[in-house]
Every structure is written in C-alpha cells, then in structure tokens.
Amino acid sequence: MSNESIDKLNLPQNPVPKKTLYEIVMSSDMKNAITGLVEGMMTPERCISIFWHCCQKTPQLQQCAPVTLIAALKNLLMMRCEPDGIHGYLVPFWVNDKSSGQSILTCAAIPSARGLMRMARSNGVTNLNIGIVRDGEPFSWRLDDGRFTMCHVPGWDDTKDPIRGFYCTWTDKDSYLHGERMSLRAVEGIMNRTKSRTKKGEIVGPWVTDFPQMGLKTVIKRASKQWDLPLAIQEAMREADDQEFGKEMRNVTPEKTDGPAEGETPWNNAPSPEEFREEPREALPEPDLQDDFIPGLEIPEAKEYATANMEDY
C-alpha cells in the first residue's frame, strides 16, 4: 500500500453550495464588515435590515452581482449615508463587459443632497446652507474688503418662477463665510452627462422628476472640493460620480412597448428574484472589485442577463 498521506490523494470532493443573496446579507461576515462603518450612525443589525428592505423594494438589485451590492453599500456608509431612500440610494445600472461584449447588471451608490449635508456636518463643516435662486429674488454674491458676503431673499417654496441657479454656503473654524454657486446652465451641463436614460437616449429618473433637489446635490458636491474631508470619503464620492456619470455605465429604464435593447434579455423573459436566488449570477469578471469585503465570495462565469426596470430614485 502506498505511504502517500491521505490529504494528498485525489479523492472526490463534495461541491460547495452557493450562498443565496439573503444568506450573504444575513451572515456574520456581513455584520462584522459593516460594524466599523456604521459606528455613530446606527447598529449593524439596523443597517442590514435597511439594506435587505432596499433589495426587496427594488427586485432588480437582487439580479446584481452581490459583490457590487456590498461595495455600493460600503461606499454609501463611508459617505455617512444609508440606503434608506432619504440619505442615499442603491441603483441598478447596466455596464458593458469588455471581455464578453455583453451588458451586465451592477449596483451603484447614489447619495442624496440630505445625505451629503449630514456627511459634511459630521466632518466639521459648520453653518451649512443651500438654496435655489429664482427670477425676481434679490441675490448678491461679492467680496467686501477681502471678505466674502452673500445675500438672498427667497420667495415661497411653492413659487413656479424660473430657476436662475443654486448655491451652498458654510463657515470655517474662524467663522469666515465661504460659498459655491452654480448657474442653471452649469447644472444642466452636469445633467446632460447622466447615464439615467432610456434606450432612445431620453433622460429619466430624478433629473426629470426632482430637478431642484438634484441641482442642490450638484452644488453641494462642487462645494465639497473645498472641504477638508478624510481621504476615504473623497474616494467614495469620486467612485459614486464615476458610477453615475462614467462612460461604461448605462442606467436604462426599458419600455414595454419597445422591446429589448441589443444584447439584453427581453423584459418579459427576465427571471424572478426567487429564480435568481436559486442560481445567483455574479457576473463581474474583475476579481479586484471584491476588495475582500466578504471573505470567500467567489464570482462564477455569467450565464444570462436580465433587464433592469428601476424605480425613480
């Protein structure tokens, strides 16, 4: 009989069962991974509950690779936002896979204006104010004796006067006032870069339904370049911008009357979330995107793709 140790023998191995998205989200690894990120905001259990409710509310998120869902959650938490639909959102996006030439579903972290304001205040930005300037409202923005001053007398919230621009002001540790402003034309230039479009190229989502709030968020992000934020928050904000406006990203809302786009599965053939959980499609090929956030999470080859029918966020 051979003296070769038994651990070197070529014995058949039992296949390791794949974890469902629910098992990954509710695992102790997930709880341990977010404990440090939610400190001072909420408990890990509450964060996981909000995260899973978000996945149930938008079933297309369950068709994203779990590693992208968790990475997006990580980005939101780094920006002191939670995916509750108030401070931040998890949004399904299409991304072009260069290796296969197909479109795969991924998740992007989108902070809201309210979430960015909370992030700023938690990092020492004081007296933070934002506003919308409309036609006919007194507004001044100037330097007086080397000091910045501004004055705005806003109208009522229900006014329908045309928007002139947006602004954000704050004070530093010496109580000096600072500010950033953007004209309507400048904000519309940012809007035209969004990837939230239909197959016809028409912009959809909050840029259409909530343009004033998106304008406020845009000027806050412009102002944040002057704040002394931790490097981790700066990187999270930059990655969120890359996902929302990146060249490879497409947030497509299919229309049932149009049929599918080329390379995508027809909307009426998309698998249900229950079918997806039985055989998850974790399709992103780049292993470095895992970032060891959930140890042992492996991404098998993509098998088929499903369209996203995202809600407005």
Side-chain angles (χ1 to χ4, degrees), residues 71-180:
L73 175 64
K74 176 183 176 182
N75 263 7
L76 278 181
L77 295 178
M78 283 185 175
M79 291 184 283
R80 309 302 290 172
C81 301
E82 51 192 278
D84 55 1
I86 299 174
H87 299 92
Y89 310 86
L90 296 176
V91 182
F93 273 78
W94 286 110
V95 61
N96 294 325
D97 182 10
K98 296 180 180 180
S99 60
S100 64
Q102 296 286 337
S103 296
I104 58 177
L105 204 56
T106 187
C107 180
I110 308 295
S112 68
R114 184 171 177 177
L116 291 177
M117 290 181 72
R118 184 171 73 174
M119 178 272 296
R121 289 166 177 156
S122 65
N123 283 275
V125 180
T126 57
N127 297 323
L128 181 64
N129 290 285
I130 56 176
I132 302 174
V133 183
R134 296 180 179 271
D135 283 349
E137 297 178 353
F139 180 76
S140 65
W141 189 278
R142 63 179 183 267
L143 285 174
D144 286 337
D145 296 329
R147 284 198 175 189
F148 164 71
T149 62
M150 66 86 62
C151 178
H152 176 218
V153 182
W156 296 105
D157 291 341
D158 58 353
T159 180
K160 300 299 182 181
D161 293 335
I163 295 176
R164 293 172 55 194
F166 305 83
Y167 67 86
C168 175
T169 62
W170 67 96
T171 56
D172 60 19
K173 61 181 180 180
D174 298 319
S175 298
Y176 283 95
L177 182 67
H178 300 268
E180 184 69 53

Side-chain angles (χ1 to χ4, degrees), residues 15 91 119 138 192 198 207 214 230 234-235 284 301:
V91 182
M119 178 272 296
N192 292 332
T198 64
W207 278 112
M214 293 299 289
Q234 296 180 41
E235 291 178 346
L284 288 184
E301 296 181 0

Side-chain angles (χ1 to χ4, degrees), residues 181-192:
R181 63 176 177 172
M182 295 183 69
S183 66
L184 175 63
R185 182 177 179 180
V187 172
E188 288 176 339
I190 299 297
M191 177 186 69
N192 292 332

Side-chain angles (χ1 to χ4, degrees), residues 8-292:
K8 295 183 179 180
L9 294 178
N10 187 19
L11 298 177
Q13 301 292 327
N14 293 327
V16 179
K18 296 178 180 178
K19 289 185 178 181
T20 65
L21 179 60
Y22 180 83
E23 291 173 337
I24 294 173
V25 170
M26 298 300 172
S27 67
S28 58
D29 288 334
M30 180 73 173
K31 179 179 177 180
N32 295 334
I34 66 173
T35 297
L37 297 175
V38 300
E39 185 176 0
M41 293 174 54
M42 68 189 97
T43 63
E45 291 80 8
R46 181 173 184 270
C47 180
I48 290 174
S49 176
I50 293 173
F51 178 48
W52 182 243
H53 176 73
C54 181
C55 292
Q56 290 179 309
K57 184 179 178 181
T58 308
Q60 290 75 23
L61 290 174
Q62 300 182 37
Q63 301 175 22
C64 299
V67 66
T68 68
L69 276 171
I70 297 168
L73 175 64
K74 176 183 176 182
N75 263 7
L76 278 181
L77 295 178
M78 283 185 175
M79 291 184 283
R80 309 302 290 172
C81 301
E82 51 192 278
D84 55 1
I86 299 174
H87 299 92
Y89 310 86
L90 296 176
V91 182
F93 273 78
W94 286 110
V95 61
N96 294 325
D97 182 10
K98 296 180 180 180
S99 60
S100 64
Q102 296 286 337
S103 296
I104 58 177
L105 204 56
T106 187
C107 180
I110 308 295
S112 68
R114 184 171 177 177
L116 291 177
M117 290 181 72
R118 184 171 73 174
M119 178 272 296
R121 289 166 177 156
S122 65
N123 283 275
V125 180
T126 57
N127 297 323
L128 181 64
N129 290 285
I130 56 176
I132 302 174
V133 183
R134 296 180 179 271
D135 283 349
E137 297 178 353
F139 180 76
S140 65
W141 189 278
R142 63 179 183 267
L143 285 174
D144 286 337
D145 296 329
R147 284 198 175 189
F148 164 71
T149 62
M150 66 86 62
C151 178
H152 176 218
V153 182
W156 296 105
D157 291 341
D158 58 353
T159 180
K160 300 299 182 181
D161 293 335
I163 295 176
R164 293 172 55 194
F166 305 83
Y167 67 86
C168 175
T169 62
W170 67 96
T171 56
D172 60 19
K173 61 181 180 180
D174 298 319
S175 298
Y176 283 95
L177 182 67
H178 300 268
E180 184 69 53
R181 63 176 177 172
M182 295 183 69
S183 66
L184 175 63
R185 182 177 179 180
V187 172
E188 288 176 339
I190 299 297
M191 177 186 69
N192 292 332
R193 292 165 45 198
T194 183
K195 302 304 176 183
S196 295
R197 299 176 182 269
T198 64
K199 296 188 292 294
K200 296 179 180 179
E202 299 171 347
I203 297 176
V204 294
W207 278 112
V208 176
T209 59
D210 299 288
F211 178 80
Q213 291 300 315
M214 293 299 289
L216 290 172
K217 185 177 83 167
T218 301
V219 76
I220 293 173
K221 291 165 73 174
R222 179 73 62 86
S224 69
K225 300 180 185 298
Q226 303 181 46
W227 301 338
D228 187 18
L229 298 174
L231 180 60
I233 293 181
Q234 296 180 41
E235 291 178 346
M237 293 181 67
R238 183 174 62 251
E239 185 170 344
D241 282 344
D242 290 343
Q243 290 178 324
E244 188 173 0
F245 300 103
K247 294 181 180 179
E248 301 299 327
M249 304 295 293
R250 303 184 286 116
N251 187 354
V252 181
T253 304
E255 299 175 276
K256 294 184 178 181
T257 57
D258 289 348
E262 184 177 355
E264 297 175 2
T265 303
W267 61 269
N268 55 353
N269 288 339
S272 65
E274 291 75 16
E275 294 172 338
F276 170 76
R277 283 196 292 268
E278 292 177 2
E279 187 175 349
R281 293 185 301 279
E282 304 170 337
L284 288 184
E286 296 85 354
D288 55 331
L289 289 180
Q290 298 184 43
D291 197 25
D292 293 330

